Amino acid sequence: MKQTESSFKNARIVAQYRGKYRVRSDHKEFWAEITGKMMFAAGSQTDYPVVGDKVEIAEMADDQAIIHRILPRKTFLQRKAAGKDELQPIAANIDVAFVVQAVDRDFNLNRFERYLTIINAGKIKPVIILNKIDLITKEALAEKVDQIKARFHNVVIETTSAADNTGIEKLRRAIKQGQIYCFVGSSGVGKSSIINKLLGQELLKTKMISTSTKKGKHVTTHRELFVLKNGGMVIDNPGIREVGVGNVGESVSNVFGDISELAKHCKFVDCTHDHEPGCAVLAALRAGDLSEDKYLNYIKLKKESDHYAMSALEKRRKDRSFGRMVKNVKKLKKKGR
Ligand SMILES: Nc1nc2c(ncn2[C@@H]2O[C@H](COP(=O)(O)OP(=O)(O)O)[C@@H](O)[C@H]2O)c(=O)[nH]1
Ligand SMILES: [Mg+2]
Ligand SMILES: [Zn+2]
């Protein structure tokens, strides 16, 4: 049967495995693959569908479908993995990213800052979730919440326990129909456990933490989107080990708003806030008005971002000079004839 434009249907990518996708249109789900043409044209990871994407599919027999096109993305969450040059997509069209940390062993402000930076770069609203609050005292929790508030001024913080259900109802009420929520955070912090609670059933396997090694087994191996009873959509992620940032220059400035404010008063417009005389950031650091931890994380993320931008530029330059070389060789060949 010949495919015509009108036989395409809109669908959403709801799960992603190696080279295979699960897609859902308004009436049913399919196993889907992309067209050979799409695969051939793909220049990088970002050209492939990712969970949350809206796509155009052609339905086939036996619940199979072919993905013909990715519709323009409203938002896009991606990170840089260690040792890889290109960015790795996490999910598309997310409205809210829940950054989950467990209050016992995982708590780390620098890591929050990293996540907030890629979330800001993806044009997504962040919400911080502190989970496993059953494991610490109210006072210890209050202190952690204060630390977060001191570091990030306008981020919503939810506190939950998937073990005794504290905060789960409040979180459920925050989830709106038709919006997509993506859970990110290290492995073992309780992302799948929280989603199970929100779903009201144990759909997702969670890790058994071995009592002898305190290490859990990886259970969430793929990304998947689930629809809650109220029509809100949540995406579970396998634990993300490395949250590298790509070229996120602007976002670093946004997340470190008070440093960008200070930077306006530096003597040099291109001040790197590293050693320059008349640097307002260093002055605030010396005066104790800026936390050293925050300053160091700023410098680190900025360096990472600049480094990524540089290597991308370098790569383009190399590609161009290769292009020129090919042209020259062709010219020489012509002359030689
Ligand atoms: N005490 C306690 N344990 C939790 C809580 N949430 C999850 N866990 C446990 O932490 C382990 C990892 O949870 P899991 O949901 O698989 O984490 P994920 O890797 O982020 O998806 C499991 O053994 C859960 O039972 C919580 O709020 N309190
Ligand atoms: Mg999980
Ligand atoms: Zn400066």
Side-chain angles (χ1 to χ4, degrees), residues 17 187-197 199 201-209 216-222 224 226 236-239:
Y17 306 85
S187 173
V189 296
K191 298 178 297 294
S192 302
S193 304
I194 296 173
I195 293 176
N196 277 336
K197 291 289 177 180
L199 288 164
Q201 49 182 315
E202 302 287 313
L203 265 186
L204 295 174
K205 281 203 199 118
T206 56
K207 271 170 281 273
M208 292 297 290
I209 299 223
K217 272 193 241 140
H218 266 280
V219 178
T220 313
T221 53
H222 61 275
E224 190 158 357
F226 300 89
D236 193 21
N237 269 293

Side-chain angles (χ1 to χ4, degrees), residues 5 10 44 49 51 57 67 74 77 101 115 122 136 149 151-152 166 182 201 207-208 215 253-254 337:
E5 280 294 318
N10 281 2
S44 73
V51 169
I57 58 163
I67 300 166
K74 205 169 61 174
L77 185 60
Q101 286 194 11
Y115 274 111
I136 59 169
K149 283 185 176 158
R151 184 87 163 238
F152 313 109
T166 313
C182 184
Q201 49 182 315
K207 271 170 281 273
M208 292 297 290
K215 278 193 186 128
S253 311
N254 294 341
R337 258 191 233 141

Side-chain angles (χ1 to χ4, degrees), residues 262-263 265-268 270-274 276-282:
L262 286 166
H265 306 287
C266 293
K267 186 171 166 194
F268 303 109
D270 59 348
C271 185
T272 62
H273 325 305
D274 173 63
E276 291 87 346
C279 172
V281 176
L282 288 172

Side-chain angles (χ1 to χ4, degrees), residues 240-285:
I240 299 172
R241 267 203 207 98
E242 273 267 336
V243 200
V245 301
N247 181 11
V248 290
E250 276 290 299
S251 299
V252 176
S253 311
N254 294 341
V255 171
F256 295 85
D258 35 1
I259 294 186
S260 323
E261 266 316 300
L262 286 166
K264 288 181 186 160
H265 306 287
C266 293
K267 186 171 166 194
F268 303 109
V269 282
D270 59 348
C271 185
T272 62
H273 325 305
D274 173 63
H275 59 274
E276 291 87 346
C279 172
V281 176
L282 288 172
L285 186 67

